[in-house]
Amino acid sequence: MRRNEIEQQRSELIEHLQNIPLDGKRLNPLYRKAKLLLTKKWIRTPAVHRVGLLKAALWLISVADNNPFI
């Protein structure tokens, strides 16, 4: 993956996290973990390892989307 593709996917995932409706319920903690990976951890991680962070965040988001937190 190229750097611009990685940044594109990261921005799409962050936008997806921002568009999640709260509906008065508690947000799934996996969303918070994914956001942490895409923001704070992302800045401190070398560019080589960012693909792993991206894949981990994508996995967390997909698990949270398929298993709503009640």
Side-chain angles (χ1 to χ4, degrees):
M1 295 181 89
R2 294 179 181 253
R3 178 175 261 166
N4 59 350
E5 293 171 350
I6 294 170
E7 289 296 328
Q8 174 75 26
Q9 281 190 332
R10 176 181 176 252
S11 63
E12 289 172 0
L13 288 177
I14 290 174
E15 183 178 328
H16 175 73
L17 289 172
Q18 291 174 346
N19 292 333
I20 296 172
L22 292 177
D23 295 335
K25 298 179 182 177
R26 288 183 53 206
L27 194 61
N28 193 323
L30 295 177
Y31 289 126
R32 283 184 266 141
K33 300 275 187 194
K35 188 173 182 179
L36 176 74
L37 285 177
L38 294 172
T39 54
K40 292 182 181 179
K41 297 279 186 186
W42 188 270
I43 294 168
R44 295 186 214 149
T45 305
V48 175
H49 302 290
R50 289 183 178 173
V51 174
L53 284 179
L54 184 67
K55 288 183 180 183
L58 183 62
W59 181 78
L60 286 171
I61 291 170
S62 68
V63 169
D65 285 344
N66 292 327
N67 301 311
F69 184 74
I70 298 173

